[in-house]
Amino acid sequence: MTRRFLPFIAALLSLMLLSLPAFAQDEASWDKQFQAQIREWMDAIASRDPQFKQWQDAKTDVQTLGAGQHQWLVSIKKADKQVGYLVIGEAPDSTSHEKFVLLEYGVGEYILFDDAFAPKEIAAEPVYDGFASYWLITQKSDTQMVNAKTGEMYPTSFQISERAVDAFAGEKLIQNGQRLTQMRILNAAEADPFDHIGWVSQMSTTDTDVSWNQLWQQDYTSPVTLAVPIHQSQVLAPFVVGSLHLWNDQNAYVGVWDEGLRFVPYSYAHRVGRFFVNETSSPAE
């Protein structure tokens, strides 16, 4: 190295050292804002919906979902027992003032990407995509998916679909400062969608569609089922609708029974799946 390069290197190192405090400050500010947003949403849900009462004074643990996806899984525990989770993302138009959005949340012992169901002794990447969330295992030229909720390993012939959650803009999701203003329970106890199979015969029709207003206003004597084809329709995932949440009186979320209650935006659920009611109790037109 010649002597004429030394002043340049010294100046570069000085600039790098000067930038470190600013970087650390920005990171601390982001983390403080993120943690405050987690607590705000947890308190909003727990204070409004008694099914989430265990969230009060619960502890949280955060892990990143996927590489460069700007999505995080928040595991919620109380007395060392799993009591729920949040999936948080960053809105596409986020600026220096971060705008976080709530992609999904759930209550119960079993969460998404639970370590108990994670692939063992294999490098696996968690990929969030609503009901189609999975761990991605890559070995040599083969890829395989493992269901993020149940740990079920899909055949290697299954192909990865384009992520549905990427199509939703931030305004359709819960954002900073929004409150859970209304709720409704349709089915308080966990239910199996195959206990009432009227929805199966309706799948062949094209005119069945249950709007949010019908879900919210109708009184049903039979369970409402949400049927979702995932992974390029290679799997059909049916769920019984348990509860409905309305944030700021405008942002609608649907809670379905899936080893606990899991809530997703109604706009997402309505796009990727179909709601069915037994023909004996179909909502009025």
Side-chain angles (χ1 to χ4, degrees):
M1 179 183 295
T2 59
R3 224 176 258 279
R4 68 175 180 271
F5 288 111
L6 292 177
F8 170 76
I9 295 174
L12 181 60
L13 288 173
S14 297
L15 287 172
M16 291 174 63
L17 289 172
L18 286 172
S19 68
L20 284 177
F23 174 78
Q25 186 176 12
D26 289 344
E27 187 175 22
S29 176
W30 186 95
D31 187 65
K32 182 179 180 180
Q33 189 176 3
F34 184 69
Q35 293 295 335
Q37 185 62 76
I38 291 173
R39 186 55 56 182
E40 178 183 306
W41 280 333
M42 285 178 60
D43 290 344
I45 297 170
S47 63
R48 193 71 178 85
D49 189 337
Q51 297 172 112
F52 289 79
K53 187 177 180 179
Q54 294 183 84
W55 281 22
Q56 294 176 339
D57 302 318
K59 295 182 179 180
T60 60
D61 182 64
V62 180
Q63 72 177 76
T64 302
L65 294 178
Q69 298 298 330
H70 298 279
Q71 295 171 343
W72 300 269
L73 172 69
V74 181
S75 171
I76 303 173
K77 291 185 177 182
K78 192 165 187 177
D80 294 324
K81 180 182 177 181
Q82 195 77 54
V83 293
Y85 68 95
L86 307 168
V87 179
I88 298 176
E90 240 175 15
D93 58 347
S94 293
T95 61
S96 57
H97 301 288
E98 268 69 32
K99 184 193 293 182
F100 299 110
V101 290
L102 191 49
L103 299 170
E104 179 176 332
Y105 53 98
V107 62
E109 180 181 355
Y110 301 103
I111 68 171
L112 284 177
F113 302 105
D114 194 320
D115 289 340
F117 299 111
K120 306 299 182 184
E121 302 177 358
I122 302 175
E125 178 186 359
V127 179
Y128 178 73
D129 190 19
F131 294 125
S133 298
Y134 58 91
W135 280 285
L136 180 63
I137 301 172
T138 303
Q139 291 180 306
K140 296 181 179 179
S141 59
D142 293 330
T143 58
Q144 192 165 22
M145 295 180 291
V146 177
N147 187 295
K149 186 72 172 178
T150 66
E152 176 188 1
M153 185 169 288
Y154 295 124
T156 54
S157 59
F158 278 22
Q159 298 182 11
I160 299 172
S161 303
E162 183 178 350
R163 298 201 316 163
V165 294
D166 290 339
F168 289 87
E171 64 268 13
K172 295 183 179 180
L173 304 170
I174 301 168
Q175 300 182 14
N176 307 40
Q178 295 189 350
R179 297 289 179 179
L180 177 57
T181 49
Q182 298 183 60
M183 64 158 291
R184 185 186 179 201
I185 297 177
L186 271 62
N187 205 320
E190 184 149 9
D192 188 328
F194 293 103
D195 286 344
H196 297 80
I197 58 173
W199 59 272
V200 176
S201 61
Q202 297 180 55
M203 290 193 65
S204 59
T205 65
T206 58
D207 58 349
T208 55
D209 183 41
V210 181
S211 68
W212 170 259
N213 286 337
Q214 288 172 317
L215 277 178
W216 187 261
Q217 296 172 5
Q218 291 286 335
D219 290 325
Y220 299 106
T221 57
S222 297
V224 179
T225 301
L226 171 63
V228 184
I230 59 176
H231 303 311
Q232 299 188 11
S233 299
Q234 296 172 105
V235 177
L236 180 65
F239 308 96
V240 173
V241 177
S243 298
L244 307 174
H245 280 176
L246 199 58
W247 291 73
N248 276 26
D249 294 329
Q250 60 182 3
N251 287 341
Y253 278 62
V254 177
V256 300
W257 286 109
D258 184 22
E259 300 292 341
L261 271 176
R262 60 186 299 192
F263 284 78
V264 297
Y266 170 79
S267 55
Y268 160 76
H270 190 250
R271 173 172 175 169
V272 300
R274 292 170 64 191
F275 291 92
F276 299 97
V277 183
N278 276 6
E279 294 177 353
T280 56
S281 57
S282 297
E285 296 294 328

